[in-house]
Amino acid sequence: MILRFQNGWVAQPGGAVGAADIAVADGVITAVSAAGSARADAVIDLEGGWLLPGFVDTQVNGGGGILFNDHVDVESIAAIGAAHVRFGTTAFLPTLISDTAEQIAAALTAVDHAIDAGVPGVIGIHIEGPFINEVKRGIHEAHRIRKLDAETLALLTAPRRGKVMLTLAPELCDDEDIRTLVAHDVIVSAGHSDATYDEAQRAIAAGLSGFTHLFNAMSPLHHRDPGAVGAAFDSDCYCGLIVDDVHLHPAVVRLAVKAKGVDRLMLVTDAMPSVGTDDSEFTLQGKRIAVKDGVCIFEDGTLAGTHLDMASALRKTVEVTGLSVPEAATMASATPAAFLSLSASHGAIAPGRRADFVWLDKALAPRETWIGGASVTDTASAFVQAAQ
């Protein structure tokens, strides 16, 4: 099948072109060539917009009215994926915030089953807590927080069908545990942490490779006490950023881009169940969270994730940084794919990669998404079929 995209911009690793023919077989791009080089099976007029690699989101708590913590099953994962694919997310990690050992086990099993069932876009799981620092817990429940124990370590390091990402507070975790996790292909990220610069650097030396929602819920940069943020800047680690006009001041986003570059920064949504709905509130582990003006907030003023989608995150990033669309798209696709060691299959419109892409219009609003070369209309049916 050959898809021709024209009258816009097609982002490729070597630069954007005005039109291209993309050949797809078995969900994978087999060739990208100049438009008109072969007979096209479908022609898509981009109307001056952009065709970008599908977005890879490493932090998705929920969507479509579903919170993953409350519904750790294949059907709910499919519903969350269906809510986000409309906004260009073609690969994601369902994210479980601090919960019991039993719920962690159930979530890991549910994601394995979702991958086996062929739920589109599911590439693994993100366990965010409960091995975090109470002083930086944010909306996480204090009574859930605990130290990483041998039983849970064994659970997290067991073979899985997809990627496993774990957010923890490195100052409360043994370096040897980090080495064990990394040796078993668990991607370890620092978050909800009050680590000193030295504590964070020791964890990096042990194999920690990421920082979850940089700046938020972590020890800040001070000129005599660099903290976790300083360690993130002074390393090659990947860093997630929530760009929603609330979690970070625009100047901070610009500073992060200057300090780390687009090849080490990842756009994340930290999305809650309200994404993809018109809901004005939801319940998070017994707490009523209001959704007002696009902000998810508890009654005491604590931010509780976001009402953000990846297309909006990219658009806001372009607005506040002045980055080009392809540069911002790198933060939404190629960089998270690299963080997850999935660059061979995700993150670019190029031969050998999955045929996952998103069409954004001139205003960078989502128009259509493809997963494995199938449009979102067809893919929506695939979500339902996989969950049945």
Side-chain angles (χ1 to χ4, degrees):
M1 177 178 66
I2 295 178
L3 302 175
R4 178 169 300 155
F5 296 91
Q6 60 188 26
N7 191 29
W9 297 100
V10 179
Q12 298 176 252
V17 297
D21 285 350
I22 301 177
V24 178
D26 297 323
V28 175
I29 298 171
T30 58
V32 181
S33 55
S37 57
R39 183 185 62 80
D41 296 288
V43 178
I44 296 92
D45 184 349
L46 296 174
E47 301 175 8
W50 287 87
L51 187 76
L52 303 174
F55 304 143
V56 180
D57 193 349
T58 62
Q59 193 169 7
V60 182
N61 307 298
I66 301 292
L67 178 71
F68 186 45
N69 277 72
D70 290 345
H71 304 280
V72 286
D73 53 56
V74 174
E75 293 79 9
S76 297
I77 294 169
I80 292 169
H84 284 271
V85 75
R86 294 160 39 200
F87 304 103
T89 296
T90 57
F92 70 103
L93 299 181
T95 300
L96 189 85
I97 69 169
S98 296
D99 215 314
T100 64
E102 293 76 16
Q103 198 73 338
I104 292 172
L108 288 162
T109 299
V111 169
D112 280 348
H113 290 167
I115 292 173
D116 284 336
V119 173
V122 184
I123 53 174
I125 186 170
H126 180 176
I127 306 295
E128 185 186 1
F131 319 113
I132 59 176
N133 197 317
E134 184 173 348
V135 302
K136 295 292 184 182
R137 66 185 177 88
I139 199 64
H140 291 233
E141 292 187 309
H143 75 273
R144 302 279 190 197
I145 296 171
R146 58 189 176 89
K147 288 205 69 173
L148 179 61
D149 56 68
E151 182 180 355
T152 309
L153 183 65
L155 177 67
L156 291 166
T157 54
R160 296 293 167 189
R161 299 284 287 114
K163 299 292 181 178
V164 176
M165 176 183 172
L166 174 65
T167 290
L168 50 71
E171 71 275 19
L172 300 179
C173 182
D174 294 336
D175 292 346
E176 189 57 38
D177 286 342
I178 295 176
R179 292 189 187 95
T180 298
L181 288 161
V182 173
H184 288 82
D185 297 322
V186 176
I187 301 160
V188 181
S189 185
H192 294 277
S193 165
D194 201 33
T196 65
Y197 172 87
D198 290 339
E199 288 170 333
Q201 287 290 359
R202 284 197 296 270
I204 292 169
L208 182 142
S209 58
F211 284 79
T212 299
H213 44 54
L214 183 65
F215 299 106
N216 297 118
M218 66 178 59
S219 46
L221 175 66
H222 184 277
H223 60 286
R224 286 191 295 271
D225 183 11
V229 172
F233 281 174
D234 196 24
S235 73
D236 289 331
C237 288
Y238 294 86
C239 301
L241 281 185
I242 303 174
V243 184
D244 65 349
D245 293 335
V246 179
H247 279 76
L248 300 174
H249 189 283
V252 171
V253 178
R254 291 191 289 271
L255 288 169
V257 170
K258 290 177 181 177
K260 296 292 294 182
V262 299
D263 292 331
R264 284 295 183 272
L265 292 176
M266 307 177 293
L267 297 182
V268 299
T269 61
D270 198 12
M272 283 297 181
S274 57
V275 173
T277 76
D278 295 324
D279 294 346
S280 60
E281 63 179 63
F282 60 89
T283 301
L284 175 64
Q285 296 180 323
K287 296 183 286 291
R288 176 186 173 275
I289 308 299
V291 183
K292 185 176 181 180
D293 298 326
V295 180
C296 301
I297 192 165
F298 186 44
E299 60 186 15
D300 66 358
T302 302
L303 292 173
T306 78
H307 184 69
L308 181 67
D309 61 78
M310 284 293 276
S312 296
L314 183 145
R315 183 174 63 254
K316 291 176 185 295
T317 299
V318 171
E319 290 173 355
V320 303
T321 65
L323 290 171
S324 69
V325 173
E327 287 173 326
T330 295
M331 297 167 63
S333 54
T335 302
F339 172 60
L340 298 173
S341 298
L342 290 175
S343 294
S345 56
H346 293 71
I349 299 175
R353 312 293 179 93
R354 285 188 51 82
D356 297 348
F357 21 80
V358 54
W359 168 21
L360 303 183
D361 65 18
K362 291 180 180 179
L364 302 183
R367 291 287 301 273
E368 192 164 359
T369 308
W370 291 259
I371 291 184
S375 74
V376 67
T377 302
D378 299 327
T379 305
S381 299
F383 280 101
V384 175
Q385 292 168 3
Q388 291 176 343

